[in-house]
Amino acid sequence: MTGTIGRVQEGAWVDKTVSLGEGCVVGQGASLLGLVRVGAGTRVEPGTVVYGPVTVGPGSFIGPNVILGFPSRTELTDSVVKGQNIQDSPSRGQLTIGRDCVVRSGTCIYSDVSIGDSVSFGHNVMVREKVRIGNHTLIGTSVVIDGSCEIGERVSIQTGGYLPINSKIEDSVFLGPHVVLTNDKYVMQKMTKLVGPTIRKGASIGANSLLMPAVEVGEGAIVGAHSLVMHNVPARSVSAGVPARKLKRVPADWRTSLLPS
Amino acid sequence: MTGTIGRVQEGAWVDKTVSLGEGCVVGQGASLLGLVRVGAGTRVEPGTVVYGPVTVGPGSFIGPNVILGFPSRTELTDSVVKGQNIQDSPSRGQLTIGRDCVVRSGTCIYSDVSIGDSVSFGHNVMVREKVRIGNHTLIGTSVVIDGSCEIGERVSIQTGGYLPINSKIEDSVFLGPHVVLTNDKYVMQKMTKLVGPTIRKGASIGANSLLMPAVEVGEGAIVGAHSLVMHNVPARSVSAGVPARKLKRVPADWRTSLLPS
Amino acid sequence: MTGTIGRVQEGAWVDKTVSLGEGCVVGQGASLLGLVRVGAGTRVEPGTVVYGPVTVGPGSFIGPNVILGFPSRTELTDSVVKGQNIQDSPSRGQLTIGRDCVVRSGTCIYSDVSIGDSVSFGHNVMVREKVRIGNHTLIGTSVVIDGSCEIGERVSIQTGGYLPINSKIEDSVFLGPHVVLTNDKYVMQKMTKLVGPTIRKGASIGANSLLMPAVEVGEGAIVGAHSLVMHNVPARSVSAGVPARKLKRVPADWRTSLLPS
């Protein structure tokens, strides 16, 4: 624990390569492995496992029983085949988490991920590699983000949402509970390029709705709950149904009127 | 470990403020922090983290890798800003769990929650603050209860169900797998009071169904699978569809006929 | 740790009854309890808990924070009532995991389960007792398999899928994200035999779809996303909708044409 000034509780394991900022605390039974840098005042709660290279900004809350820097499939296979520790794989991507973030229990974030400031994660979230998440975004409990996704600022993805590879979510989007995006219209029966949906600034999708691959939901549009979205949704429209159809324009006094046209 | 008479396995951490009843066991690597009281014969399995104040009744099973007394957002921010341990926050609510309960792996229950006797939790359940759960209720795997909910006795919420803030579930209700309740009909596009559904005594909701905010499902009513419930459902009726419509009355020989009229 | 030749990291607990193959590694804070046999080169990551009897083949990756050999309800109650450790219950079934498997963080697999070779689990998966899973199958993140299920080889169950007791999935089936199978058409209102669906070889089910109890999806059939499947689906047909209806035959150039007739 050379160069560390934080407090390490009994039963925690902190490699010599770890650097802890002033006032940070590592809880009982946590394991910080490899190149890990923890900012000042950040708490790493009991039972959390961090596989470096990982950087966490100051003032954040990690854990308990969180996993940071989980290996991609290639890194994982490498680790088994070569008999080396995950954190020792030379070509691993870095996980960066900003300042004032909250990562709740059971959440697992892979290597090669970049997370902004003041981002909040619920419990048992899973974020795979090559994902970028903007500032002030909220990722709800049990959400799964399956890799190679761009997620903007002030986004809210509620409990149980699912984003497949190659999805794009712009700023201030709201996805209700259990919204499912898809990227393979042939359900593995035919070779195809996997393209997830794109959801433009300020749009909201109601709970339990399903978006077909590659659809685009326009700026400030609203999709009602339990809908099946098969085609693009016009900006500032309200759509709903199975399949979803346009019902009307978003009323002028709703939030979307505040977004730039 | 003053005043404890249970058995504490190697690598577990038990604060001096913890009291363990006769015959209880704390597994390897578990951490019991702050004011924690564990009843006689209760097992706390390896890797579980308990942030007091928490009381667990006798004859219960907790863990492994369970989190009890997880902090509300305010408590969590306080903990980081003031550099104090979660269990040391002076104004924290208490988590009370009754006797003969089962809390399975990965489940996380917040502070300020009250759970009756013989309640069973599946795996990776999440229960936020200000929730009350009655005796003999079953909360399935991956269920999320998002705070400020009342749940009766002998309720069964199957795998993956979701209850938003301000939902009310009366006694003997059955929610099939992946039932989603909602509380915001404007999906964050307009300020509104968040009111969840109310489900009356002995009603059953089929798998994958979605209930719109503030709807009431009447006593002993049945809603078919994969339905969208937009309006109140009459007592003792069978409804289904997108949107759900009443199909018939519940046949006289079904369970609902056993409920008081 | 008699007879072990693997490497055990600090803070891990390995019972004397555990046997570790050459080159295997047990991470910080893991607990291996009772009769556990780990094959050569297999990694057990930090924080994982294994309740024997469990056998893991060589070249596999377990953890972190995984639970293996979780007790059935009977075993669990026994453990509390008799005050005995889970791994010491005399009549427990064995969990067998093959070679080259991957079990990711937060996943929990019960006792009395048999898993083939090269099987991959995502995060926070739950598999109950009396389940058999064939070689090269992939079980996605947050999938729940509720016991007494048969799952073939090269099956893919994507994120959030749910299989109730008594479901049957043949080889090369694909279930999209959040597909829900059910087994009780009376939603607990009337006594009935619980019979889950049967999905025949090479069929694909689109995301968010719901299958009613006891339905059979024929060989190579396709069900579109967000559908409600109330009746049997003919082999090599494409169906979709609420309720699902047959739209056409699967085109000749799709995968199903490669399956034996």
Side-chain angles (χ1 to χ4, degrees):
Chain A
M1 288 180 294
T2 306
T4 68
I5 46 177
R7 181 156 42 102
V8 177
Q9 307 282 22
E10 192 159 328
W13 177 264
V14 177
D15 274 351
K16 290 196 177 117
T17 45
V18 172
S19 118
L20 299 177
E22 192 172 339
C24 77
V25 180
V26 178
Q28 288 84 355
S31 301
L32 276 56
L33 308 169
L35 279 169
V36 178
R37 294 196 309 178
V38 183
T42 284
R43 301 184 64 89
V44 179
E45 294 293 313
T48 283
V49 181
V50 182
Y51 298 106
V54 171
T55 299
V56 181
S60 290
F61 177 92
I62 308 293
N65 286 356
V66 161
I67 314 290
L68 299 183
F70 193 90
S72 69
R73 178 72 209 215
T74 315
E75 290 166 9
L76 189 156
T77 306
D78 236 51
S79 155
V80 174
V81 171
K82 299 188 182 160
Q84 76 189 358
N85 293 320
I86 289 165
Q87 66 274 16
D88 296 339
S89 171
S91 59
R92 262 166 68 77
Q94 156 113 4
L95 164 61
T96 308
I97 297 179
R99 55 165 63 230
D100 303 327
C101 289
V102 173
V103 183
R104 290 185 177 85
S105 71
T107 287
C108 174
I109 308 178
Y110 276 56
S111 61
D112 200 5
V113 166
S114 163
I115 290 166
D117 298 331
S118 303
V119 174
S120 233
F121 293 85
H123 304 264
N124 301 322
V125 175
M126 200 276 279
V127 180
R128 289 196 80 134
E129 62 270 22
K130 299 190 196 315
V131 169
R132 222 178 321 170
I133 300 180
N135 301 332
H136 299 281
T137 279
L138 186 156
I139 310 288
T141 292
S142 298
V143 166
V144 173
I145 301 175
D146 233 351
S148 302
C149 292
E150 294 272 325
I151 298 173
E153 305 197 345
R154 294 175 305 282
V155 168
S156 172
I157 304 182
Q158 296 286 304
T159 297
Y162 175 70
L163 272 62
I165 290 174
N166 298 333
S167 304
K168 191 165 180 215
I169 312 289
E170 292 188 355
D171 296 346
S172 304
V173 160
F174 175 86
L175 304 187
H178 287 236
V179 166
V180 174
L181 279 58
T182 62
N183 68 0
D184 175 9
K185 69 193 252 200
Y186 297 108
V187 284
M188 296 293 285
Q189 297 271 350
K190 197 179 165 182
M191 288 296 290
T192 182
K193 205 181 153 197
L194 301 177
V195 185
T198 296
I199 307 187
R200 298 287 179 204
K201 251 196 293 190
S204 287
I205 314 288
N208 247 20
S209 288
L210 186 291
L211 275 64
M212 291 296 282
V215 299
E216 180 173 324
V217 177
E219 224 174 282
I222 296 177
V223 173
H226 207 63
S227 299
L228 168 60
V229 180
M230 303 195 66
H231 306 291
N232 292 350
V233 175
R236 293 173 173 66
S237 66
V238 179
S239 301
V242 180
R245 297 189 199 287
K246 176 171 169 178
L247 303 178
K248 58 176 180 180
R249 277 184 62 84
V250 173
D253 61 325
W254 290 23
R255 181 181 72 156
T256 51
S257 58
L258 301 174
L259 292 172
S261 307
Chain B
M1 287 181 295
T2 307
T4 68
I5 48 178
R7 183 156 41 101
V8 178
Q9 306 282 21
E10 192 159 330
W13 177 264
V14 177
D15 274 352
K16 290 195 178 117
T17 45
V18 172
S19 117
L20 300 177
E22 192 171 342
C24 77
V25 180
V26 179
Q28 289 82 355
S31 301
L32 276 55
L33 308 170
L35 280 169
V36 178
R37 296 196 308 179
V38 183
T42 284
R43 302 184 63 89
V44 179
E45 293 293 314
T48 283
V49 180
V50 182
Y51 297 107
V54 171
T55 299
V56 181
S60 291
F61 177 92
I62 310 292
N65 287 356
V66 161
I67 313 290
L68 299 182
F70 194 89
S72 68
R73 178 69 209 219
T74 314
E75 290 166 7
L76 188 157
T77 305
D78 237 49
S79 155
V80 173
V81 169
K82 300 189 181 158
Q84 77 189 359
N85 293 320
I86 289 165
Q87 66 275 17
D88 296 339
S89 171
S91 58
R92 264 165 68 78
Q94 156 114 3
L95 163 61
T96 307
I97 297 179
R99 56 165 62 230
D100 303 326
C101 289
V102 174
V103 183
R104 291 186 177 83
S105 70
T107 286
C108 173
I109 307 178
Y110 276 56
S111 61
D112 200 5
V113 166
S114 164
I115 291 166
D117 297 333
S118 303
V119 175
S120 233
F121 294 85
H123 305 264
N124 301 321
V125 174
M126 199 276 280
V127 179
R128 291 196 79 136
E129 62 271 22
K130 301 188 195 314
V131 169
R132 222 177 322 171
I133 300 180
N135 301 333
H136 299 282
T137 280
L138 184 157
I139 310 286
T141 292
S142 298
V143 166
V144 173
I145 300 175
D146 235 351
S148 301
C149 292
E150 293 273 324
I151 299 172
E153 306 198 344
R154 294 174 306 282
V155 168
S156 172
I157 304 182
Q158 296 287 303
T159 298
Y162 174 71
L163 273 61
I165 290 174
N166 299 332
S167 304
K168 190 164 180 214
I169 311 288
E170 291 188 355
D171 295 347
S172 303
V173 160
F174 175 86
L175 304 187
H178 287 237
V179 167
V180 174
L181 279 57
T182 61
N183 67 1
D184 175 9
K185 68 193 253 202
Y186 297 109
V187 282
M188 295 292 285
Q189 297 271 348
K190 197 178 164 182
M191 288 296 290
T192 184
K193 207 182 151 196
L194 302 177
V195 185
T198 295
I199 307 187
R200 298 287 179 206
K201 252 196 291 189
S204 288
I205 314 287
N208 248 19
S209 288
L210 186 291
L211 275 63
M212 291 297 281
V215 298
E216 179 172 324
V217 177
E219 224 174 282
I222 297 177
V223 173
H226 207 61
S227 300
L228 168 61
V229 180
M230 301 193 68
H231 306 291
N232 291 350
V233 175
R236 292 173 172 66
S237 65
V238 179
S239 302
V242 180
R245 298 187 199 287
K246 176 170 170 180
L247 304 177
K248 59 176 180 182
R249 276 185 63 84
V250 173
D253 60 327
W254 290 23
R255 181 182 70 158
T256 51
S257 57
L258 302 175
L259 293 172
S261 305
Chain C
M1 287 181 292
T2 307
T4 67
I5 47 178
R7 182 155 42 100
V8 178
Q9 307 282 22
E10 191 158 331
W13 178 263
V14 176
D15 274 351
K16 289 193 178 119
T17 44
V18 172
S19 118
L20 300 177
E22 192 172 341
C24 76
V25 180
V26 179
Q28 288 83 355
S31 301
L32 277 55
L33 309 170
L35 279 170
V36 178
R37 295 196 309 177
V38 183
T42 283
R43 301 184 63 89
V44 179
E45 294 293 315
T48 282
V49 180
V50 182
Y51 298 106
V54 171
T55 300
V56 182
S60 290
F61 177 92
I62 308 292
N65 287 356
V66 161
I67 313 291
L68 299 183
F70 193 89
S72 69
R73 179 69 208 219
T74 315
E75 291 165 8
L76 188 158
T77 305
D78 237 48
S79 154
V80 174
V81 170
K82 300 189 182 158
Q84 77 189 359
N85 293 320
I86 290 166
Q87 66 274 15
D88 295 339
S89 172
S91 60
R92 263 164 67 79
Q94 155 113 5
L95 164 61
T96 307
I97 297 179
R99 55 167 61 232
D100 304 328
C101 289
V102 174
V103 183
R104 291 186 176 84
S105 69
T107 286
C108 174
I109 308 178
Y110 276 56
S111 61
D112 199 6
V113 167
S114 163
I115 290 165
D117 298 331
S118 304
V119 175
S120 234
F121 294 85
H123 305 264
N124 302 322
V125 174
M126 201 276 280
V127 179
R128 290 196 81 135
E129 63 269 23
K130 300 190 196 312
V131 169
R132 222 178 321 170
I133 300 179
N135 301 333
H136 298 282
T137 279
L138 184 156
I139 310 287
T141 292
S142 298
V143 166
V144 172
I145 300 175
D146 234 351
S148 301
C149 293
E150 293 272 324
I151 299 172
E153 306 197 344
R154 295 175 305 283
V155 167
S156 172
I157 304 182
Q158 297 286 303
T159 297
Y162 175 71
L163 272 63
I165 290 174
N166 297 334
S167 304
K168 191 165 180 214
I169 312 288
E170 291 188 356
D171 296 346
S172 304
V173 160
F174 175 86
L175 304 187
H178 287 237
V179 166
V180 173
L181 278 58
T182 61
N183 67 0
D184 175 9
K185 69 192 254 204
Y186 297 109
V187 283
M188 296 292 284
Q189 298 270 349
K190 197 179 165 181
M191 288 296 290
T192 182
K193 205 181 154 198
L194 302 176
V195 185
T198 296
I199 308 186
R200 298 286 179 206
K201 251 197 291 190
S204 288
I205 314 287
N208 248 20
S209 288
L210 186 289
L211 276 64
M212 290 298 281
V215 299
E216 179 172 325
V217 177
E219 224 174 282
I222 295 176
V223 173
H226 208 62
S227 300
L228 168 60
V229 180
M230 302 194 67
H231 306 291
N232 291 350
V233 175
R236 294 173 170 65
S237 66
V238 179
S239 301
V242 180
R245 297 186 198 289
K246 176 171 170 179
L247 304 178
K248 59 177 181 182
R249 277 185 62 85
V250 173
D253 60 326
W254 289 24
R255 181 182 71 156
T256 50
S257 58
L258 302 174
L259 294 172
S261 305

